[in-house]
Amino acid sequence: MAIKEVLTYPNPLLKEISEEVKEVTPDVKDTIIDLIDTMDSTGHSVGIAAPQIGKLYRIIAVDASKNKKCTNHHGKMVMINPEILKWEGMLQFREGCMSLPDYTGNVNRARKILVQYQDEKLNTKVIYAEEFEAVLIQHEIDHLDGVLFIDRIISKRTDLFRRKKYK
């Protein structure tokens, strides 16, 4: 449909809690297409959540296959109403976000998650994700609850970094 502007912090919509999707309306269909188009347009983005394009639906799009180091993944997915059912292990991960383009930071995340979601036809799915893909899904689900990675930084003094600028 369209490549949308990605909202950046401190836009207040990024701190709102998104609403559950109960039916696939034309606006929900458009939002799904916009999420995929916007994520794919950047070339480097591996995930995006509906609030980042100004839509307060519980929808995320992820594609862990874009990360060369991630060999165990489910490919490109649209996840509606995602919910983490179970998690195990912890890992520290350096995260970045299109809504905070100038920063990266160290965040603790679950190493492995069991997540339930609905696909674009509202069929319920359950998958295990681990390592990079698990971190990616947790990061995007946080957006649906108004949480940004800077809210989860281990230490704001030592674990928040200004992104390097490449010429």
Side-chain angles (χ1 to χ4, degrees), residues 88-104:
E88 57 185 83
M90 293 295 287
L91 61 83
Q92 185 181 95
F93 202 87
R94 176 78 68 94
E95 295 188 14
C97 181
M98 291 191 293
S99 292
L100 291 147
D102 296 331
Y103 293 93
T104 62

Side-chain angles (χ1 to χ4, degrees), residues 70-167:
C70 181
T71 56
N72 187 12
H73 57 77
H74 295 85
K76 187 182 292 184
M77 295 185 289
V78 170
M79 305 174 94
I80 299 172
N81 301 321
E83 181 181 359
I84 296 171
L85 302 176
K86 182 177 168 187
W87 63 272
E88 57 185 83
M90 293 295 287
L91 61 83
Q92 185 181 95
F93 202 87
R94 176 78 68 94
E95 295 188 14
C97 181
M98 291 191 293
S99 292
L100 291 147
D102 296 331
Y103 293 93
T104 62
N106 293 326
V107 177
N108 286 327
R109 298 282 188 185
R111 182 176 299 279
K112 187 174 182 179
I113 58 171
L114 178 66
V115 60
Q116 176 179 294
Y117 67 97
Q118 293 168 303
D119 66 14
E120 295 164 72
K121 294 180 179 173
L122 296 184
N123 296 312
T124 299
K125 309 264 183 175
V126 177
I127 62 165
Y128 269 108
E130 56 187 33
E131 304 289 336
F132 177 79
E133 187 174 51
V135 169
L136 170 61
I137 292 169
Q138 291 169 82
H139 176 107
E140 300 307 335
I141 289 175
D142 272 354
H143 278 293
L144 305 180
D145 295 319
V147 176
L148 302 173
F149 83 85
I150 57 172
D151 299 319
R152 294 190 181 273
I153 291 289
I154 297 168
S155 165
K156 289 186 176 34
R157 279 189 338 158
T158 60
D159 292 302
L160 182 64
F161 308 97
R162 185 165 282 280
R163 190 181 291 270
K164 292 178 182 171
K165 302 278 183 193
Y166 299 99
K167 294 180 182 180

